[in-house]
Protein backbone atom coordinates (compact mmCIF):
# COMPACT_ATOMS: atom_id res chain seq x y z
CA UNK A 1 0.00 0.00 0.00
CA UNK A 2 1.25 3.42 -0.94
CA UNK A 3 -0.50 6.61 0.12
CA UNK A 4 -0.84 9.05 -2.76
CA UNK A 5 -0.53 12.81 -2.43
CA UNK A 6 -4.33 12.96 -2.47
CA UNK A 7 -4.51 10.83 0.69
CA UNK A 8 -1.75 12.73 2.43
CA UNK A 9 -3.19 16.13 1.50
CA UNK A 10 -6.67 15.08 2.65
CA UNK A 11 -5.24 14.12 6.03
CA UNK A 12 -3.32 17.41 6.23
CA UNK A 13 -6.53 19.35 5.56
CA UNK A 14 -8.49 17.36 8.14
CA UNK A 15 -5.76 17.96 10.73
CA UNK A 16 -5.90 21.73 10.16
CA UNK A 17 -9.71 21.74 10.26
CA UNK A 18 -9.70 19.46 13.32
CA UNK A 19 -7.53 21.87 15.28
CA UNK A 20 -10.44 24.35 15.35
CA UNK A 21 -13.57 22.27 14.65
CA UNK A 22 -16.05 25.15 14.84
CA UNK A 23 -14.06 27.46 12.56
CA UNK A 24 -14.88 27.85 8.88
CA UNK A 25 -11.64 28.18 6.91
CA UNK A 26 -11.24 29.52 3.42
CA UNK A 27 -9.64 27.33 0.83
CA UNK A 28 -6.73 29.77 0.51
CA UNK A 29 -6.07 29.60 4.28
CA UNK A 30 -6.17 25.80 4.12
CA UNK A 31 -3.89 25.74 1.08
CA UNK A 32 -1.39 27.98 2.85
CA UNK A 33 -1.39 25.91 6.05
CA UNK A 34 -1.21 22.53 4.29
CA UNK A 35 1.18 23.60 1.51
CA UNK A 36 -1.22 22.14 -1.04
CA UNK A 37 -2.01 23.98 -4.30
CA UNK A 38 -5.46 25.56 -4.11
CA UNK A 39 -6.79 23.93 -7.27
CA UNK A 40 -5.78 20.44 -6.09
CA UNK A 41 -7.07 21.08 -2.57
CA UNK A 42 -10.47 22.10 -3.99
CA UNK A 43 -10.88 18.64 -5.55
CA UNK A 44 -9.81 16.93 -2.34
CA UNK A 45 -12.18 19.00 -0.19
CA UNK A 46 -15.07 18.24 -2.54
CA UNK A 47 -14.33 14.55 -2.14
CA UNK A 48 -14.12 14.91 1.66
CA UNK A 49 -17.42 16.81 1.56
CA UNK A 50 -19.04 14.06 -0.50
CA UNK A 51 -17.77 11.49 2.04
CA UNK A 52 -19.22 13.54 4.92
CA UNK A 53 -15.98 14.59 6.62
CA UNK A 54 -16.34 18.32 5.90
CA UNK A 55 -19.11 20.78 5.15
CA UNK A 56 -18.85 23.97 3.16
CA UNK A 57 -20.43 27.38 3.45
CA UNK A 58 -20.81 29.79 0.55
CA UNK A 59 -20.37 33.51 0.53
CA UNK A 60 -17.89 36.08 1.76
CA UNK A 61 -17.55 34.26 5.09
CA UNK A 62 -17.55 30.90 3.38
CA UNK A 63 -15.15 28.04 3.46
CA UNK A 64 -14.88 24.58 4.99
CA UNK A 65 -15.15 23.13 8.47
CA UNK A 66 -14.94 19.64 9.84
CA UNK A 67 -18.28 17.81 10.00
CA UNK A 68 -17.60 15.25 12.74
CA UNK A 69 -15.80 15.31 16.06
CA UNK A 70 -12.13 14.38 15.54
CA UNK A 71 -12.48 11.34 17.81
CA UNK A 72 -15.07 9.92 15.40
CA UNK A 73 -12.87 10.17 12.31
CA UNK A 74 -10.89 6.94 11.85
CA UNK A 75 -7.78 7.29 9.70
CA UNK A 76 -8.15 3.78 8.23
CA UNK A 77 -11.64 4.65 6.99
CA UNK A 78 -10.38 7.77 5.23
CA UNK A 79 -7.46 5.95 3.62
CA UNK A 80 -9.69 3.13 2.36
CA UNK A 81 -12.22 5.58 0.92
CA UNK A 82 -9.59 7.71 -0.81
CA UNK A 83 -6.91 5.16 -1.67
CA UNK A 84 -8.61 1.78 -1.79
CA UNK A 85 -7.52 -1.44 -0.07
CA UNK A 86 -4.84 -1.42 2.61
CA UNK A 87 -3.37 -4.75 1.53
CA UNK A 88 -0.04 -4.85 -0.31
CA UNK A 89 -1.34 -7.70 -2.51
CA UNK A 90 -4.82 -8.59 -3.72
CA UNK A 91 -4.64 -12.13 -2.30
CA UNK A 92 -4.69 -10.79 1.28
CA UNK A 93 -7.16 -7.93 0.80
CA UNK A 94 -10.32 -7.97 2.88
CA UNK A 95 -12.16 -5.39 0.76
CA UNK A 96 -10.78 -6.19 -2.71
CA UNK A 97 -9.67 -9.81 -2.66
CA UNK A 98 -8.06 -11.14 -5.86
CA UNK A 99 -7.37 -14.84 -6.20
CA UNK A 100 -4.04 -16.17 -7.37
CA UNK A 101 -3.21 -19.59 -8.78
CA UNK A 102 -0.22 -19.86 -6.44
CA UNK A 103 -2.11 -18.83 -3.32
CA UNK A 104 -2.42 -22.28 -1.72
CA UNK A 105 1.34 -22.90 -1.87
CA UNK A 106 2.65 -19.33 -1.74
CA UNK A 107 5.33 -18.78 0.87
CA UNK A 108 5.01 -15.00 0.53
CA UNK A 109 1.32 -14.83 1.43
CA UNK A 110 1.89 -15.00 5.24
CA UNK A 111 4.24 -12.02 4.94
CA UNK A 112 1.73 -10.00 2.90
CA UNK A 113 -0.99 -10.97 5.40
CA UNK A 114 1.12 -9.83 8.34
CA UNK A 115 1.88 -6.51 6.66
CA UNK A 116 -1.80 -5.99 5.86
CA UNK A 117 -2.89 -6.84 9.42
CA UNK A 118 -0.28 -4.56 11.00
CA UNK A 119 -1.14 -1.59 8.78
CA UNK A 120 -4.91 -2.13 9.05
CA UNK A 121 -4.82 -2.52 12.84
CA UNK A 122 -2.76 0.64 13.29
CA UNK A 123 -4.91 2.73 10.94
CA UNK A 124 -8.16 1.41 12.42
CA UNK A 125 -7.01 2.27 15.96
CA UNK A 126 -5.96 5.80 15.03
CA UNK A 127 -8.42 8.69 14.96
CA UNK A 128 -7.97 12.26 13.87
CA UNK A 129 -8.09 13.17 17.56
CA UNK A 130 -5.13 10.85 18.20
CA UNK A 131 -3.14 12.66 15.52
CA UNK A 132 -4.10 16.05 16.93
CA UNK A 133 -2.91 14.96 20.39
CA UNK A 134 0.28 13.37 19.03
CA UNK A 135 -0.86 9.95 20.24
CA UNK A 136 -0.19 7.47 17.47
CA UNK A 137 -0.68 3.87 18.56
CA UNK A 138 2.35 1.62 18.37
CA UNK A 139 2.18 -1.52 16.28
CA UNK A 140 2.42 -4.74 18.25
CA UNK A 141 5.94 -6.15 18.28
CA UNK A 142 6.33 -9.85 18.15
Amino acid sequence: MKISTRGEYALRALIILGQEPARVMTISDLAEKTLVPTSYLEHILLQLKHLGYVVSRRGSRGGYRINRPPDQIVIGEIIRQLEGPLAPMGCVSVTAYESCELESMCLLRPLWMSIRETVANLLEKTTLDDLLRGKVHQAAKG
Side-chain angles (χ1 to χ4, degrees), residues 108-123:
L108 289 170
R109 192 167 190 272
L111 174 64
W112 303 144
M113 183 67 78
S114 181
I115 291 168
R116 186 235 167 263
E117 290 300 317
T118 301
V119 169
N121 287 335
L122 180 61
L123 292 176

Side-chain angles (χ1 to χ4, degrees), residues 15-100:
I15 287 169
I16 297 300
L17 292 170
Q19 290 172 335
E20 297 181 67
R23 181 176 173 206
V24 175
M25 294 188 71
T26 66
I27 190 129
S28 51
D29 283 343
L30 278 168
E32 183 179 319
K33 290 180 185 236
T34 59
L35 302 177
V36 178
T38 305
S39 58
Y40 193 29
L41 188 58
E42 281 180 305
H43 294 291
I44 292 167
L45 288 167
L46 285 174
Q47 194 169 14
L48 289 173
K49 180 181 174 183
H50 176 74
L51 293 170
Y53 295 107
V54 301
V55 291
S56 63
R57 181 168 49 176
R58 294 178 175 257
S60 61
R61 302 186 114 193
Y64 292 86
R65 74 169 172 76
I66 203 158
N67 194 35
R68 295 189 215 171
D71 65 346
Q72 293 179 16
I73 298 176
V74 177
I75 302 305
E77 180 181 299
I78 296 166
I79 297 301
R80 275 193 184 97
Q81 290 174 327
L82 295 176
E83 303 287 345
L86 300 176
M89 302 295 285
C91 64
V92 295
S93 178
V94 171
T95 59
Y97 172 78
E98 296 174 15
S99 66
C100 170

